[in-house]
């Protein structure tokens, strides 16, 4: 038995896109998703949600790698500065400058 009332969520969906609301109510979300996937396979199109997700993963992977490189470079600079300061101290203390 089909409901005769609309929820606030359905009214919001209708306000956003009446066609989407109508087809979802007529066919159901699961069937629409199946038809969407079938159409994309037939036309050799990539699923936009999956495509955006992969782009996001790629962006975050690249950003994380860049962050790791910056941290490693900073640590290397600190180590080299510390080594140079220690070597300078040793050189002055043990026989460099008279």
């Amino acid at each position: 038995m089909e409901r005769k009332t609309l929820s606030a969520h359905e009214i919001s969906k209708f306000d956003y896109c009446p066609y989407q609301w109508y087809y979802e109510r007529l066919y159901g979300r699961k069937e629409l998703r199946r038809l969407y996937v079938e159409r994309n396979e037939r036309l050799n199109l990539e699923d936009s949600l999956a495509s955006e997700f992969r782009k996001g993963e790629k962006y975050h992977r690249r950003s994380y790698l860049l962050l790791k490189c910056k941290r490693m470079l900073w640590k290397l600079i600190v180590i080299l500065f510390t080594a140079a300061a220690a070597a300078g101290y040793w050189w002055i203390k043990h026989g460099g400058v008279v």
Side-chain angles (χ1 to χ4, degrees), residues 32-77:
L32 286 176
R33 181 70 182 151
R34 187 190 67 75
L35 291 171
Y36 174 76
V37 169
E38 186 179 288
R39 181 207 60 191
N40 285 351
E41 288 175 353
R42 188 175 65 246
L43 298 174
N44 293 324
L45 297 174
E46 192 171 348
D47 184 6
S48 64
L49 292 176
S51 174
E52 294 299 320
F53 184 73
R54 278 193 291 280
K55 285 179 189 174
E57 279 185 324
K58 185 178 177 182
Y59 169 79
H60 287 285
R61 203 175 314 119
R62 189 174 51 239
S63 296
Y64 183 64
L65 180 64
L66 184 62
L67 178 65
K68 282 175 50 177
C69 288
K70 284 181 180 179
R71 285 181 177 173
M72 196 177 303
L73 180 62
W74 179 247
K75 288 176 183 177
L76 182 63
I77 289 171

Side-chain angles (χ1 to χ4, degrees), residues 5-19:
T5 59
L6 298 174
S7 68
H9 180 69
E10 286 181 299
I11 293 171
S12 175
K13 279 182 140 182
F14 179 82
D15 186 45
Y16 178 74
C17 181
Y19 294 109

